[in-house]
Amino acid sequence: MSLKVGIVGLPNVGKSTLFKALTKNPVDIANYPFCTIEPNVGIVKVPDERLEKLAKMSKSAKVVPTVIEFVDIAGLVKGAAEGEGLGNKFLAHIREVDAIVQVVRVFEDKNITHIHDKIDPQNDIEIINTELILADLDTVSKRIVKLEKEARGQNKEAIAALGVAKKIKIILDEGKLARDLKLSAEDMALVKDMQLLTWKPIFYVLNIHEKNTLELSSRVSSRVNSVAVDIKIEEELSQMSANESAELGMKSNLDKLILKSYEVLNLITFLTTGEDETRAWTVKYDSTAPEAGRAIHSDFEEKFIRADVINWQKLLEAGSWAKARELGTLRTEGKDYIVKDGDVIEFKI
């Protein structure tokens, strides 16, 4: 499963520095807006302590973690939906990702300019949200015009889709995000191809400096789904070895950010382990065993017979598949089984 998370925010809030720390790749960073025009892309491992433990038990030749693709998208500005600051191009990049991470500047630094000359995290969040809403309003309004023409011909699907599109427009007109409207699966299917920006899961990275911004960060975090990170320190840590950071007593918080990305995308991990490899696989929450098998290969879904399943901790406690079977902690599950995070699975096809 290919997963993309877009890093967005106003100019000079720390987006590219965060991307560099996450991916440990050098990127263009400068103290002026629109340094990043074409998005940088980096692959980041999802931290998972279970892999090494299972690999040690199985004496696996290799360990393969699951990954998330982070995309560093240039700074949005007020008026982006009307094309300000090359906004249309940047909004198109956001449309291609599965989730959005908005970096919000909380720190004070007179040497780094703020595009609005003041530190106001809540206002910055509202500016970005407004631009996404305006872009979606344009998309929905155009679709309504098209559907109204089709509905005049008594096209039943168009009539139904028109009703849903108008509900979405009402929400957007109120300054709310499209995802605030709870749609049934049937209604969503009628309009899903609009690919609205404000349908995407979103969370916030509050870029702090530990010394002077924790209080302001706490006030903001109480209102939004967020992770507080000192991005400058993360950049420094990314350039150190594990021993160097340990000697200094410094520990990265980026794992929390990566796991939060996983969480907002409504994903879980199941595992496979053996002598060849121990691997993490990404699937949507509530996936059945055959659907999970598709992550490995389409044959695992189409030719699914059954699956041997055990929680990773239970398998470690047993010490081997054979012992787990002997103890009765290894279960055989059928097509209706809902896979759980941390399941170790062996598929039978």
Side-chain angles (χ1 to χ4, degrees):
M1 179 181 287
S2 178
L3 304 164
K4 284 187 179 181
V5 175
I7 303 174
V8 306
L10 295 173
N12 297 341
V13 296
K15 300 180 308 303
S16 294
T17 307
L18 174 63
F19 177 85
K20 182 181 176 183
L22 274 169
T23 62
K24 297 180 173 59
N25 288 335
V27 295
D28 285 328
I29 298 173
N31 184 26
Y32 57 87
F34 316 121
C35 172
T36 312
I37 295 176
E38 292 300 328
N40 294 294
V41 179
I43 305 299
V44 178
K45 296 176 184 178
V46 176
D48 195 333
E49 64 171 359
R50 301 171 293 194
L51 287 171
E52 293 296 339
K53 292 177 180 179
L54 288 169
K56 186 177 180 181
M57 180 202 76
S58 299
K59 297 181 174 60
S60 302
K62 62 179 178 177
V63 176
V64 185
T66 190
V67 297
I68 294 179
E69 189 173 308
F70 280 90
V71 183
D72 177 25
I73 298 170
L76 285 170
V77 295
K78 192 172 183 179
E82 283 77 49
E84 291 293 325
L86 303 178
N88 289 330
K89 190 172 185 179
F90 300 154
L91 290 167
H93 292 316
I94 298 171
R95 209 174 295 281
E96 295 171 3
V97 303
D98 300 298
I100 298 169
V101 174
Q102 183 182 336
V103 181
V104 182
R105 179 173 169 178
V106 182
F107 69 87
E108 299 269 4
D109 189 332
K110 63 184 180 182
N111 296 317
I112 301 177
T113 59
H114 188 290
I115 196 167
H116 297 133
D117 297 320
K118 63 176 180 178
I119 304 302
D120 187 342
Q122 198 60 46
N123 184 60
D124 291 357
I125 288 171
E126 288 167 6
I127 287 171
I128 297 292
N129 284 348
T130 297
E131 294 310 316
L132 300 180
I133 289 167
L134 289 172
D136 281 352
L137 264 172
D138 183 56
T139 300
V140 173
S141 297
K142 287 176 180 175
R143 177 58 61 89
I144 286 174
V145 171
K146 183 173 182 284
L147 289 170
E148 282 175 338
K149 290 179 183 177
E150 294 174 3
R152 284 197 286 272
Q154 299 305 306
N155 181 317
K156 290 183 179 180
E157 186 172 314
I159 292 169
L162 178 60
V164 178
K166 286 181 174 178
K167 287 180 185 177
I168 295 170
K169 186 174 185 301
I170 289 170
I171 284 285
L172 295 172
D173 279 332
E174 292 173 352
K176 297 177 182 176
L177 307 178
R179 67 174 175 275
D180 292 336
L181 179 64
K182 305 304 178 187
L183 295 176
S184 67
E186 293 79 9
D187 284 349
M188 179 62 86
L190 291 168
V191 292
K192 189 176 181 181
D193 65 325
M194 287 195 290
Q195 294 184 302
L196 298 183
L197 302 173
T198 61
W199 267 336
K200 297 181 185 296
I202 186 168
F203 72 97
Y204 302 87
V205 172
L206 307 181
N207 189 4
I208 63 171
H209 285 348
E210 290 286 355
K211 292 179 182 177
N212 58 9
T213 53
L214 283 177
E215 184 181 342
L216 179 55
S217 171
S218 296
R219 290 205 300 272
V220 178
S221 64
S222 66
R223 299 175 197 155
V224 295
N225 188 7
S226 64
V227 176
V229 177
D230 188 325
I231 293 176
K232 190 62 182 171
I233 285 181
E234 294 296 344
E235 181 189 23
E236 293 170 9
L237 283 169
S238 72
Q239 296 168 1
M240 297 181 193
S241 68
N243 287 338
E244 286 172 332
S245 58
E247 285 175 10
L248 293 170
M250 299 170 71
K251 187 177 179 182
S252 172
N253 283 319
L254 290 184
D255 282 1
K256 292 180 183 177
L257 189 159
I258 297 165
L259 292 172
K260 177 68 76 171
S261 303
Y262 215 64
E263 178 188 310
V264 300
L265 284 165
N266 205 25
L267 301 172
I268 63 167
T269 300
F270 76 87
L271 308 137
T272 54
T273 188
E275 288 186 7
D276 289 340
E277 67 174 25
T278 292
R279 182 186 288 250
W281 302 90
T282 298
V283 293
K284 287 286 187 184
Y285 176 78
D286 265 356
S287 292
T288 62
E291 288 169 343
R294 185 174 59 214
I296 301 174
H297 194 281
S298 58
D299 281 355
F300 283 63
E301 180 178 28
E302 294 162 10
K303 301 177 181 179
F304 180 90
I305 299 173
R306 66 182 186 276
D308 287 341
V309 182
I310 185 171
N311 174 269
W312 72 281
Q313 288 175 308
K314 294 288 185 185
L315 180 56
L316 287 177
E317 288 169 10
S320 69
W321 282 97
K323 188 64 176 178
R325 185 173 281 108
E326 182 185 319
L327 293 170
T329 51
L330 184 67
R331 312 182 311 277
T332 297
E333 301 286 358
K335 291 183 177 181
D336 296 331
Y337 176 69
I338 302 298
V339 172
K340 298 175 180 61
D341 188 70
D343 277 349
V344 186
I345 305 179
E346 191 173 87
F347 293 90
K348 307 294 183 182
I349 62 171

